[in-house]
Amino acid sequence: MKKENQTNIATGLTEAEVKQRVENGQVNQTVDNQFKTNGQIIKENVCTYFNLIFLVLAILLLVVGAYRDLTFLPVIILNTIIGIIQEISAKHTLSKLSVMNATEVTVLRDSKKVKIPIEKLVVDDLVILKTGDQIPADAQVVKGNIRVNEALLTGESDEISKDPGSKLMSGSFVVSGEAYAQLEKVGKDSYISKLTMKAKSMGGVEQSEMVRSINGIIKWVGIIIIPLGIALFSLSFFKNHASFAHSIVSMEAAVLGMIPEGLYLLTTVALALSAVRLARKQVMLHDMKSVETLARVNVLCVDKTGTITEPKMAVAKTINSRAFNGQNLDLLIGDFAKNMPADNVTMKAIHAYFKTGSGQKADSVLPFTSVNKFSGVIFGQTTMLIGAPEMILRKQFDQYKDEFEEYAEEGYRVLIVANYPGVLTEDNSKLSKDVSVLGYILLSNPIRKEAKPTFEYFGKQGINIKVISGDNPVTVSRVAGQAGIVGADKYIDAQEIHDGKYE
C-alpha cells in the first residue's frame, strides 16, 4: 500500500526539503521540558509557607536584637538545603534515562545513503533499517520486509513481521530483514519520546501523605498564630507594660512551641537517608518523597517470564497424543524447526532440542503473533501448527485437556502440535476447522534463585503479589506457587471475562 505524501523512494529528501523541515521544527530532537530548572527547584524549596513563618519570626528577633533566640534557624536552613540537594540529584539521575540506544542511522538523501545522528533526522526522511538497528522515530514501511522486537514498549519479546504499509514504533529493534521506512512522527511527537518524558516527569503534585499532613498542620498553625501572636504581644506590651523587646521574645517563645519544625526536619532526614540507601541499590527516584509512596504499596503486579523465571526456555520432552499413530513426533517437529526461523525465545528452544528432521521442505511459513499465539509451517494443503492449546484447539479443548493438563499443573509450559486441514497465511490466519492433534511439547522456565526469598519478603511486608501473564493460567499458577507467592492457586483466565464479568 502506497503511503500518502510518500517521499521519492529513489532519491529520498532533497537538501532543500530537509532545510524546510528543520526551519519548521520537524526534527528528531526530544525536548526535556518536563524538568524544572535548578533555579525553580531552589525557589520552590526556599519560598514555602513554612519558611515564610520562620523568616518573619527571625526578622522580628533581629529587630529587637535577640540573636540568642535564633537557634531554630539552623534547623530550617538544613531542612531547605536537604530538599534542594535531593531534588536536583533526582533531576540529574532522571535526565540520564533513555530508551534510545542508537546514535546514528542510515538515511537516503539526494539519492545518496548517508549515516547521520538520529537527532538530525526530519519528518518524511527515508531511513534504511537492517538487522540490529533500533527504530529512531515512528515510521511506516514503504519497501522491503523486516521483523521487529517491541519488547521495550510492550514487554512481549515476540518478533513481528512488518511489510510495506506497516507502522513502526520508535524504540523497537530490527531482528531480521531490511526495509526502507518513512518517518512520520519525530522528536517529542514520537511514541518513545512521549514514553520517556512521562517516565522522567517529576510532577508538581505532592505525593507524600506524610509531608502533605505536616504541611496541613503548618498551614493551620500558621493561620492561627497570626492573631494569637498579635494577642500575646498586645497582652505583654500594652497590658503588662513590658518592653518591646521582651514582648517580642516572649510572644515568639510561645508561638515557636506550636510549630513542629523538629518533626519536619526529622521527616526530611529520614526520607533523604532512605533515598540514599535506595540509590546505592540502583533504584531511580523522582524525589526523596517517593520513598513514602513505595512504603505505601500494598499490591505488586509482576510478569512470569523474565521476572519470576529466568528469561530463557528449554524443551523438557514431547508427549504423543492418543490420536496420533503416525511417524516419530520429534522428526515432524524437526521439520517444523528446520523451516521456521528462530525469531523468538520459544522457537530458539525448539531449534536447540529438535535438530533432526525428515528433510521435508515447506511451501511457506506462518510467523508467530501475540494475537494468534501460534506459528505454522505449510506442507502442501496442510498447515502444521505449534502454539498455545487453548488458541489452536478452541472448541476441541475439553476433548484433549486431560492429555496435557497434568503437565501444566506441574509447571510446564505446554505447546500443542497439530495439523490444520488448509493453508493459513498472515492475511488469513483464522482457524475455522478442527485440527488433528499430534502431540505436545513441554517447555520449562527455571525459577530465578532470588524470586522465592523476594516474594517471601514482600509477604512479610503485607504486600499482595498478582501475576499477570499471557501464558496458560494453570502453568502460571503452578510457577507462582513454586516461587512462594501466596494465593497462587486462585487464578483467573482473562479470556473468560466478558462484559466485565468472569464466567
Side-chain angles (χ1 to χ4, degrees):
M1 181 178 69
K2 187 172 181 179
K3 187 184 187 311
E4 186 180 353
N5 300 323
Q6 182 172 312
T7 302
N8 190 318
I9 202 167
T11 63
L13 293 178
T14 64
E15 186 177 345
E17 289 172 328
V18 172
K19 185 177 180 181
Q20 182 185 10
R21 284 161 174 76
V22 171
E23 291 173 352
N24 293 337
Q26 297 174 303
V27 188
N28 194 39
Q29 292 180 337
T30 301
V31 180
D32 282 343
N33 56 6
Q34 80 284 2
F35 281 134
K36 304 171 188 173
T37 64
N38 288 351
Q40 287 175 316
I41 292 174
I42 293 171
K43 181 181 177 182
E44 288 182 5
N45 280 273
V46 171
C47 300
T48 65
Y49 188 58
F50 178 77
N51 289 351
L52 177 62
I53 294 172
F54 286 100
L55 177 63
V56 172
L57 295 176
I59 291 172
L60 290 174
L61 289 174
L62 288 171
V63 168
V64 299
Y67 305 116
R68 288 184 299 177
D69 294 308
L70 293 171
T71 52
F72 61 85
L73 277 183
V75 173
I76 310 307
I77 294 170
L78 182 60
N79 180 73
T80 303
I81 290 174
I82 291 173
I84 291 171
I85 291 173
Q86 281 297 323
E87 197 162 343
I88 290 177
S89 175
K91 172 193 164 183
H92 288 164
T93 302
L94 289 170
S95 66
K96 299 174 185 176
L97 178 64
S98 176
V99 184
M100 289 298 299
N101 297 318
T103 55
E104 290 186 329
V105 67
T106 304
V107 62
L108 184 65
R109 287 183 179 175
D110 284 324
S111 303
K112 296 178 182 178
K113 295 180 181 179
V114 293
K115 276 198 168 187
I116 65 171
I118 61 171
E119 62 269 15
K120 291 188 177 181
L121 293 170
V122 298
V123 168
D124 293 328
D125 251 332
L126 279 179
V127 295
I128 301 166
L129 301 170
K130 57 185 183 300
T131 304
D133 287 344
Q134 188 176 22
I135 298 166
D138 296 353
Q140 180 174 317
V141 178
V142 295
K143 179 184 176 182
N145 172 270
I146 53 176
R147 297 180 69 81
V148 302
N149 184 315
E150 298 179 345
L152 275 177
L153 309 178
T154 65
E156 296 292 336
S157 59
D158 306 324
E159 279 75 36
I160 303 168
S161 179
K162 300 290 185 178
D163 298 307
S166 299
K167 300 290 184 181
L168 299 174
M169 304 296 286
S170 49
S172 307
F173 282 91
V174 180
V175 294
S176 64
E178 183 173 327
Y180 284 67
Q182 182 173 336
L183 303 186
E184 296 182 327
K185 294 180 180 179
V186 299
K188 64 181 180 181
D189 295 324
S190 67
Y191 180 81
I192 199 66
S193 292
K194 291 179 179 178
L195 191 67
T196 304
M197 288 174 72
K198 188 175 182 180
K200 289 182 178 182
S201 177
M202 299 179 76
V205 180
E206 179 59 69
Q207 298 297 318
S208 170
E209 183 66 32
M210 187 163 51
V211 174
R212 189 161 54 238
S213 298
I214 294 174
N215 285 339
I217 294 172
I218 292 172
K219 175 185 174 182
W220 288 109
V221 169
I223 294 172
I224 294 170
I225 65 172
I226 294 173
L228 184 61
I230 294 172
L232 289 172
F233 173 79
S234 300
L235 181 64
S236 177
F237 185 72
F238 295 108
K239 187 172 182 178
N240 296 334
H241 304 292
S243 67
F244 179 77
H246 179 79
S247 298
I248 289 292
V249 172
S250 61
M251 177 272 292
E252 293 208 17
V255 167
L256 282 173
M258 299 176 61
I259 305 173
E261 72 273 14
L263 176 61
Y264 206 98
L265 177 62
L266 181 63
T267 303
T268 301
V269 170
L271 293 175
L273 290 175
S274 300
V276 170
R277 290 184 62 186
L278 288 174
R280 287 174 181 167
K281 295 183 179 294
Q282 299 183 330
V283 176
M284 189 175 291
L285 298 176
H286 283 77
D287 58 52
M288 64 180 179
K289 297 165 190 173
S290 302
V291 174
E292 187 197 339
T293 307
L294 181 63
R296 291 180 179 275
V297 170
N298 52 27
V299 176
L300 179 65
C301 297
V302 300
D303 187 23
K304 179 180 79 70
T305 308
T307 303
I308 300 176
T309 61
E310 297 284 353
K312 59 184 179 180
M313 200 169 284
V315 175
K317 57 183 176 179
T318 57
I319 306 293
N320 281 28
S321 170
R322 290 192 295 263
F324 177 63
N325 298 312
Q327 57 183 298
N328 187 288
L329 179 61
D330 286 12
L331 285 178
L332 292 178
I333 301 174
D335 287 335
F336 185 102
K338 291 291 183 182
N339 290 280
M340 178 67 69
D343 53 12
N344 58 51
V345 176
T346 302
M347 198 50 61
K348 286 176 182 176
I350 291 175
H351 270 251
Y353 189 87
F354 301 99
K355 297 181 179 179
T356 305
S358 65
Q360 190 176 11
K361 297 293 183 181
D363 298 320
S364 59
V365 297
L366 177 68
F368 178 90
T369 68
S370 55
V371 175
N372 292 332
K373 291 190 178 180
F374 59 74
S375 54
V377 174
I378 293 84
F379 298 110
Q381 294 301 308
T382 301
T383 302
M384 184 178 177
L385 301 173
I386 292 181
E390 60 272 19
M391 302 301 288
I392 294 177
L393 290 173
R394 294 160 292 121
K395 293 181 180 179
Q396 296 174 269
F397 187 84
D398 291 338
Q399 178 184 344
Y400 288 95
K401 69 177 183 179
D402 62 320
E403 291 187 2
F404 61 83
E405 204 167 40
E406 61 179 291
Y407 301 110
E409 291 174 355
E410 291 174 8
Y412 290 108
R413 180 184 175 191
V414 180
L415 298 180
I416 190 170
V417 184
N419 280 334
Y420 180 78
V423 176
L424 297 175
T425 64
E426 290 188 61
D427 295 329
N428 183 24
S429 59
K430 185 176 181 181
L431 303 179
S432 57
K433 303 174 185 177
D434 287 349
V435 299
S436 300
V437 179
L438 306 178
Y440 312 93
I441 302 172
L442 306 186
L443 298 170
S444 62
N445 270 119
I447 293 175
R448 287 182 180 274
K449 295 178 181 178
E450 63 272 21
K452 193 167 185 178
T454 299
F455 292 131
E456 286 176 351
Y457 170 78
F458 282 131
K460 292 176 182 177
Q461 301 301 314
I463 298 174
N464 293 319
I465 307 296
K466 306 293 182 184
V467 184
I468 302 174
S469 174
D471 291 344
N472 182 283
V474 178
T475 303
V476 176
S477 172
R478 182 73 176 185
V479 170
Q482 292 174 349
I485 296 176
V486 177
D489 57 321
K490 299 174 183 178
Y491 61 86
I492 292 176
D493 186 351
Q495 294 185 87
E496 297 180 18
I497 299 176
H498 301 286
D499 299 326
K501 296 181 180 179
Y502 181 67
E503 298 179 1

